Amino acid sequence: MKPERPRPDPDAPTAGPPRPRDSSATRRSLLAAARELFATDGYDGTTVRAIAERAGVNQALLFRHFGNKEQLFAEAVAGQALDVLHDGPPQEVLRRTLEAMLATGPDDSAESTLFFAALRSQGNTEAARTVRAQLREAYGGALAALVATDDRADAELRADLTLAWLLGIALLRRVIHSDALTAAEPETVIGHVVRATDALLGPVDST
């Protein structure tokens, strides 16, 4: 007679990725996973299951903390960008934004996802459209307030031109993988962009 195999202990820890030990850590893990996947696959291409697996938690915890994928997208993408926008003096918003866009983590997926999830989430998804409109209004308004002119329409135009440049930097870095931009030191890139935008946002010489 073959010896009976020992039965598994139901209280023994199971294999798999480590789970966050508290509620705040779970939220952080879900937000980080969501930003990475939304930036890589866009809103439509990212599933709730994939986010939960990346974060190492059960899907039920995602719904418990965020309600649904739309709310998670809004908090992960818009929340991150708005935190950068408001985390310091208004006149330093351009530098803060560039620093966040050019920052890297061990897997190049830290703050460098700023704006990128919204850019990748094109199409007619209502959640993506809402987030893009929110960021456009918030960043456009903040940049327009820095323009040295009383002409509101001109201030908004120059703000949009500045924002278009920021989005272009994100695309070159994350999609096209520009060798020059990827290899450059963040402070070098920031210095060039700040000098150029100082001219764009500053007073126009009428002579």
Side-chain angles (χ1 to χ4, degrees), residues 39 50 74 81 94 111 140 155 157 163 167 171 199-200:
L94 184 63
E111 296 297 333
L157 172 61
L163 186 55
L167 298 179
L171 285 172
L200 177 60

Side-chain angles (χ1 to χ4, degrees), residues 26-127:
T26 298
R27 283 183 61 86
R28 288 194 301 271
S29 296
L30 286 166
L31 286 168
R35 289 182 188 121
E36 294 171 12
L37 289 172
F38 286 137
T40 302
D41 302 330
Y43 180 86
D44 289 330
T46 299
T47 65
V48 168
R49 179 178 180 178
I51 295 171
E53 288 180 349
R54 175 70 65 90
V57 302
N58 188 282
Q59 292 183 55
L61 291 175
L62 186 152
F63 294 112
R64 180 185 303 172
H65 284 283
F66 300 100
N68 53 41
K69 189 173 83 165
E70 290 83 357
Q71 293 180 40
L72 173 57
F73 181 78
E75 185 166 345
V77 180
Q80 178 195 32
L82 293 175
D83 285 347
V84 172
L85 178 64
H86 299 301
D87 189 25
Q91 64 271 21
E92 295 179 5
V93 63
L94 184 63
R95 171 172 284 276
R96 284 198 307 277
T97 303
L98 286 164
E99 287 175 347
M101 289 171 59
L102 298 172
T104 58
D107 56 356
D108 194 31
S109 62
E111 296 297 333
S112 57
T113 59
L114 187 69
F115 293 140
F116 202 70
L119 286 173
R120 290 298 294 267
S121 301
Q122 298 298 324
N124 297 320
T125 302
E126 184 62 29

Side-chain angles (χ1 to χ4, degrees), residues 118-195:
L119 286 173
R120 290 298 294 267
S121 301
Q122 298 298 324
N124 297 320
T125 302
E126 184 62 29
R129 286 203 306 270
T130 299
V131 166
R132 287 197 297 271
Q134 183 180 7
L135 295 182
R136 160 65 186 84
E137 181 178 356
Y139 272 83
L143 292 169
L146 302 178
V147 179
T149 180
D150 295 327
D151 185 338
R152 181 174 179 81
D154 186 52
E156 291 176 351
L157 172 61
R158 290 198 252 172
D160 274 358
L161 291 170
T162 304
L163 186 55
W165 194 3
L166 292 175
L167 298 179
I169 291 172
L171 285 172
L172 278 170
R173 181 175 173 81
R174 299 281 298 185
V175 176
I176 301 175
H177 300 294
S178 161
D179 291 339
L181 184 56
T182 302
E185 291 293 328
E187 276 301 318
T188 301
V189 176
I190 292 170
H192 289 319
V193 175
V194 168
R195 282 197 304 275

